[in-house]
Amino acid sequence: MTAKPDIKTLGSLRASGYIIKSIKDELRDNLIIKIRNNDNVFEGIFGYETTVIPQLEHAILSRHNINLLGLRGQAKTRLARMMTSLLDEWIPFISGSEINDDPFNPISRYAKELIEKEGDNTPIEWLHRDERFFEKLATPDVTVADLVGDVDPIKAANLKLSYADDRVIHFGMIPRANRSIFVINELPDLQARIQVSLFNILQEGDVQIRGFKVRMPLDIQFVFTANPEDYTNRGSIVTPLKDRIGSQILTHYPENIHIAKEITKYESSLDSRQQNGVYVPELAKDLLEQIGFEARDSEFVDYKSGVSARMSITAFENLLSTAERRSLLTGDQNTTVRLSDFMGVIPAITGKVELVYEGEQEGAEAVAQILIDNAIKTLFTSYFPKVEKLEKKEVAGPFQQITDWFLEDDGFIEITDESSDESYAKALNRVSALDKIIEKYQPDTRKEDLLFMKEFILWGLSTNKKLNKERFRTGVFFS
């Protein structure tokens, strides 16, 4: 942060040659500089480089108010918050003004009277860009008074003013956000009559409060967010309001696992002990993200509601915590994530997906388990040959040696949730055929990933009905 300018009066501001711009011009001019310098305006936003961000930049260059339309967990509010980086770092305003009056073009009665009285000695303060962001979640109980303003009887009594005097007005959130970015989240949740109150503010820039026609050309960059499902479930954006919003931009979920992993890595809140003490194989990260993709396509999950990117983020945090807790119990200093640790991510899944009727019948935990199994089944064919449902008896399949091991003397493998790393390795290394499969189809597997890959094969064969997998209270049992 650069130092606050040392100009404290209106006269000094004029003498400095300072030029005040509208907020939309600020955003536009600073964006032009960023684009020319190839600066990343929306750092930490992944997967929107060729879709959402160019459209958002077009809207800013066009000086439009913006509606970000998309399902939950698509970084809509994050994008709006990051627009503050395009504002000038400091702007001057009349000291004591409730609505950040422009010193050269005041709009409130207070500021006009102060300038008339003090002239060039009018005190000036400076507002940092971080304080020029206002956000309101649209809920059915929001009133016009909350957003625009109302007559304040206490102020009228204290100042001994009649209700006909405009000094009795108490400004709402929107006038107080003058010269700022104002975000209304979940716009369709606003009652239609409240949305109507925004018409004049968006188009003409004036407000009317309780019969007072207060001509206040507010200088605001509006950003709205909405979920397309809201249009049918709870409400809608009234047509005249939609008509007054310059650009509507559609957001989306990550298009592939690589982008999804970048988002999770950037957003995850991890303790340094987890980062340093728990190793996560790349396959485990892929598997975690694939669960989200499976959820978005699942017949048990309401696709209209969407599956937030927050599911993968919280699931990753749970995954590391599951491995960390196990290592604390066993006394292992360092450990590696196991596939059986994925049972620990179920609470992160059940709280993040909206189930349809069929999903409710199955139960949230059962659906979470199905999603994990489906993710394993999907990724399995990326690493190993497809498991055929019907195989010729005289031709040995690629996994024949593994299934034969389990057939001999009723072979089985038991992996408990709280077994030490040594016991875990000992259980998996009993099946020598697993090493041969990995050597043949995944010869470049890193040494530290070998055990996870072995367990992945067992889970993959169980989801393809080649092995039995039973979940018991403290672990899994393959036979």
Side-chain angles (χ1 to χ4, degrees):
M1 182 189 294
T2 58
K4 186 190 298 186
D6 195 28
I7 296 173
K8 295 181 180 177
T9 64
L10 179 57
S12 301
L13 189 67
R14 277 205 183 95
S16 72
Y18 187 91
I19 298 173
I20 292 180
K21 296 182 281 190
S22 73
I23 186 169
K24 288 184 168 69
D25 283 332
E26 272 185 64
L27 292 165
R28 172 185 161 81
D29 293 348
N30 291 324
L31 176 61
I32 288 170
I33 293 169
K34 295 266 189 183
I35 292 173
R36 282 178 176 159
N37 294 337
N38 287 321
D39 292 339
N40 185 2
V41 180
F42 300 98
E43 190 174 349
I45 302 292
F46 303 97
Y48 285 174
E49 292 82 1
T50 59
T51 53
V52 176
I53 288 175
Q55 291 179 31
L56 187 54
E57 290 176 344
H58 299 160
I60 293 170
L61 291 172
S62 300
R63 303 183 182 88
H64 283 175
N65 292 312
I66 299 162
N67 182 27
L68 296 170
L69 182 65
L71 296 172
R72 56 182 174 162
Q74 292 185 351
K76 299 186 294 295
T77 307
R78 169 70 68 83
L79 285 168
R81 285 176 181 157
M82 296 184 82
M83 283 173 62
T84 56
S85 67
L86 294 174
L87 296 172
D88 291 345
E89 186 164 12
W90 297 96
I91 61 163
F93 70 100
I94 301 293
S95 181
S97 169
E98 294 179 82
I99 60 170
N100 306 322
D101 272 289
D102 175 352
F104 296 156
N105 187 27
I107 58 177
S108 73
R109 178 169 175 166
Y110 163 82
K112 289 175 181 176
E113 289 180 348
L114 184 63
I115 291 174
E116 189 176 340
K117 179 183 175 184
E118 300 289 342
D120 281 353
N121 293 323
T122 302
I124 299 295
E125 291 184 40
W126 293 84
L127 189 68
H128 192 262
R129 61 182 165 215
D130 290 345
E131 298 174 45
R132 297 173 65 194
F133 181 87
F134 289 76
E135 186 176 1
K136 179 64 179 171
L137 176 62
T139 54
D141 62 332
V142 173
T143 64
V144 175
D146 294 333
L147 293 178
V148 181
D150 204 350
V151 170
D152 185 348
I154 297 175
K155 184 186 281 188
N158 287 341
L159 298 176
K160 296 182 177 160
L161 297 170
S162 99
Y163 284 170
D165 194 313
D166 63 5
R167 284 175 291 178
V168 303
I169 292 172
H170 173 77
F171 293 117
M173 287 188 72
I174 291 177
R176 289 173 183 275
N178 186 36
R179 303 174 72 198
S180 302
I181 296 171
F182 189 83
V183 178
I184 298 181
N185 283 315
E186 309 303 342
L187 180 60
D189 283 355
L190 269 189
Q191 295 179 45
R193 65 185 180 84
I194 311 298
Q195 294 184 38
V196 169
S197 72
L198 299 175
F199 288 0
N200 268 28
I201 297 172
L202 282 171
Q203 194 68 41
E204 287 82 24
D206 63 10
V207 295
Q208 292 187 24
I209 300 173
R210 287 281 182 178
F212 287 104
K213 188 173 182 182
V214 188
R215 178 66 184 171
M216 297 181 71
L218 297 171
D219 181 23
I220 299 175
Q221 170 67 55
F222 280 99
V223 180
F224 304 99
T225 73
N227 187 322
E229 176 65 2
D230 291 345
Y231 285 108
T232 54
N233 260 12
R234 290 171 285 183
S236 63
I237 301 176
V238 295
T239 304
L241 181 57
K242 277 198 289 185
D243 187 50
R244 284 167 167 79
I245 300 172
S247 291
Q248 178 168 280
I249 299 169
L250 302 180
T251 58
H252 56 83
Y253 286 122
E255 294 174 347
N256 55 56
I257 285 179
H258 175 72
I259 293 171
K261 283 197 297 185
E262 288 290 321
I263 295 170
T264 301
K265 180 182 177 182
Y266 189 85
E267 295 291 337
S268 296
S269 176
L270 304 177
D271 187 285
S272 60
R273 289 165 296 179
Q274 290 177 321
Q275 290 177 309
N276 299 329
V278 182
Y279 171 73
V280 186
E282 208 60 35
L283 175 54
K285 295 177 184 177
D286 291 347
L287 189 57
L288 190 82
E289 301 302 340
Q290 185 63 36
I291 294 170
F293 285 89
E294 296 294 335
R296 290 173 194 130
D297 291 332
S298 173
E299 60 183 336
F300 300 121
V301 176
D302 184 1
Y303 73 92
K304 294 178 185 175
S305 178
V307 178
S308 168
R310 285 183 283 269
M311 187 189 82
S312 297
I313 296 162
T314 53
F316 184 65
E317 291 166 352
N318 265 13
L319 182 65
L320 267 76
S321 295
T322 304
E324 182 187 29
R325 178 181 178 275
R326 172 171 40 76
S327 67
L328 291 171
L329 290 169
T330 60
D332 293 318
Q333 290 298 313
N334 297 292
T335 191
T336 299
V337 162
R338 304 171 186 174
L339 214 159
S340 45
D341 290 336
F342 274 74
M343 297 302 100
V345 310
I346 288 177
I349 299 172
T350 54
K352 295 288 191 296
V353 293
E354 290 285 333
L355 303 180
V356 295
Y357 176 76
E358 292 82 356
E360 297 286 359
Q361 295 298 103
E362 289 284 337
E365 283 205 20
V367 170
Q369 182 63 68
I370 290 168
L371 295 177
I372 293 170
D373 286 346
N374 287 348
I376 293 168
K377 193 172 184 178
T378 300
L379 286 186
F380 192 76
T381 53
S382 302
Y383 288 82
F384 300 101
K386 183 180 177 181
V387 179
E388 300 294 342
K389 290 183 179 178
L390 297 174
E391 295 178 341
K392 296 178 181 179
K393 288 185 178 181
E394 63 274 13
V395 179
F399 306 103
Q400 187 74 48
Q401 287 181 302
I402 297 173
T403 53
D404 285 348
W405 185 91
F406 281 92
L407 289 172
E408 292 171 8
D409 300 324
D410 295 324
F412 69 90
I413 287 180
E414 182 180 321
I415 300 173
T416 60
D417 295 342
E418 296 171 4
S419 60
S420 66
D421 287 350
E422 185 181 350
S423 300
Y424 173 70
K426 188 175 180 181
L428 288 171
N429 289 335
R430 287 171 57 205
V431 190
S432 57
L434 291 172
D435 292 293
K436 294 175 182 176
I437 290 288
I438 294 170
E439 192 176 331
K440 183 174 181 180
Y441 296 105
Q442 292 297 324
D444 296 329
T445 302
R446 298 174 64 178
K447 184 180 178 182
E448 52 267 42
D449 293 0
L450 276 173
L451 291 174
F452 188 91
M453 187 67 79
K454 289 180 180 182
E455 192 181 0
F456 177 65
I457 295 170
L458 297 181
W459 283 69
L461 292 177
S462 72
T463 59
N464 284 286
K465 312 300 182 190
K466 289 295 180 182
L467 292 177
N468 292 323
K469 175 175 66 68
E470 294 179 40
R471 174 73 190 168
F472 55 96
R473 189 177 293 275
T474 58
V476 287
F477 185 89
F478 294 97
S479 61

